[in-house]
Amino acid sequence: MAQDLEQRHGMIWHHEQVLGFELAKQLIQKPKISLWMMMLPLLFLFFMQDIKRYKTGINNFANDFLKNKKTALDLAFNAVLDGTTIEAALADFAAENRPASADQPLYEAQRREIACLAAHYKRLLTTRGDTYEKALKNAYSSFGEFQRYLDTLFERENEVIQIALRINPPQEDARGVVQEMQNALRRMRQGERDRVFKPVQPNSGN
């Protein structure tokens, strides 16, 4: 039981990491090499420095994006392992991680996001399926049910983002990047939804 649960935990975490790094690659432009760089060693050195910064940016973005996902997945894993509820696991987490009062709105929004994710992960940890896609399809009864989860998750993630933006107002172009990130993430999740659940097309025949 515990070994199977650990394998499922690893399968889900791998999926989330792939999603996080793919999202980062869509948002962060990779430097392009030119013929001049190949001909002039100094330019090539600058290019390699840009590549290093690009890789660092990818890793930093993905790790920040995945932070709440990892917390939620570990909460769900421990809840299943201990035979307790997500609510009890969240209560223990809240007791250990309650912030200063100034951070309370952001903390509460993050807690709601983690609760949404943890309930989703618990479904995946306790359903049949030897691949992520099979587990996802078995965890949700229909295209519509999974879409409702995606809508709720988007609301929870957006709530965290908007509160964070109010606390630390960014440059105007940063808001554009946030919007671009949300649009890209929504496209990626909807693409996965369509691959896994393949909505039934209406019959256009006689």
Side-chain angles (χ1 to χ4, degrees), residues 1 13 23-24 28 36 52 63 69 75 80 85 90 109 115-116 137 141 143 157 162 176 192 196 198 204:
M1 167 66 179
W13 180 234
L23 177 62
I28 301 175
W36 282 108
K52 187 175 181 179
N63 289 333
K69 277 71 176 172
L75 282 176
V80 175
T85 64
L90 281 167
C116 176
K137 190 162 188 177
S141 61
F143 177 98
E157 290 175 334
Q162 296 308 319
E192 179 178 69
V196 173
K198 293 186 177 69
S204 58

Side-chain angles (χ1 to χ4, degrees), residues 27 84 101 158 186:
L27 297 175
T84 188
S101 57
N158 186 58
R186 178 169 274 179

Side-chain angles (χ1 to χ4, degrees), residues 110-126:
Q110 289 177 317
R111 191 175 63 82
R112 286 189 287 272
E113 179 192 354
I114 290 169
C116 176
L117 286 162
H120 167 68
Y121 293 143
K122 186 178 181 182
R123 281 191 176 205
L124 296 178
L125 288 166
T126 56

Side-chain angles (χ1 to χ4, degrees), residues 16 24 30 33 40 53 66 70 76 82 86 93 114 122-123 126 138 184 199:
E16 296 294 65
K30 184 176 183 179
I33 194 167
L40 300 174
R53 284 193 292 268
L66 290 167
K70 185 64 164 60
D82 297 339
I86 291 295
F93 171 79
I114 290 169
K122 186 178 181 182
R123 281 191 176 205
T126 56
N138 289 329

Side-chain angles (χ1 to χ4, degrees), residues 88-167:
L90 281 167
D92 290 341
F93 171 79
E96 296 172 3
N97 295 275
R98 193 169 298 280
S101 57
D103 297 330
Q104 195 69 22
L106 180 59
Y107 166 77
E108 290 297 335
Q110 289 177 317
R111 191 175 63 82
R112 286 189 287 272
E113 179 192 354
I114 290 169
C116 176
L117 286 162
H120 167 68
Y121 293 143
K122 186 178 181 182
R123 281 191 176 205
L124 296 178
L125 288 166
T126 56
T127 194
R128 294 176 294 106
D130 56 0
T131 67
Y132 181 87
E133 290 73 19
K134 290 178 181 177
L136 187 63
K137 190 162 188 177
N138 289 329
Y140 291 87
S141 61
S142 66
F143 177 98
E145 186 186 16
F146 184 61
Q147 181 59 54
R148 286 191 289 276
Y149 160 70
L150 291 181
D151 290 341
T152 301
L153 178 59
F154 179 82
E155 290 174 5
R156 298 292 178 265
E157 290 175 334
N158 186 58
E159 184 182 14
V160 170
I161 289 169
Q162 296 308 319
I163 292 175
L165 291 177
R166 287 201 298 271
I167 293 173

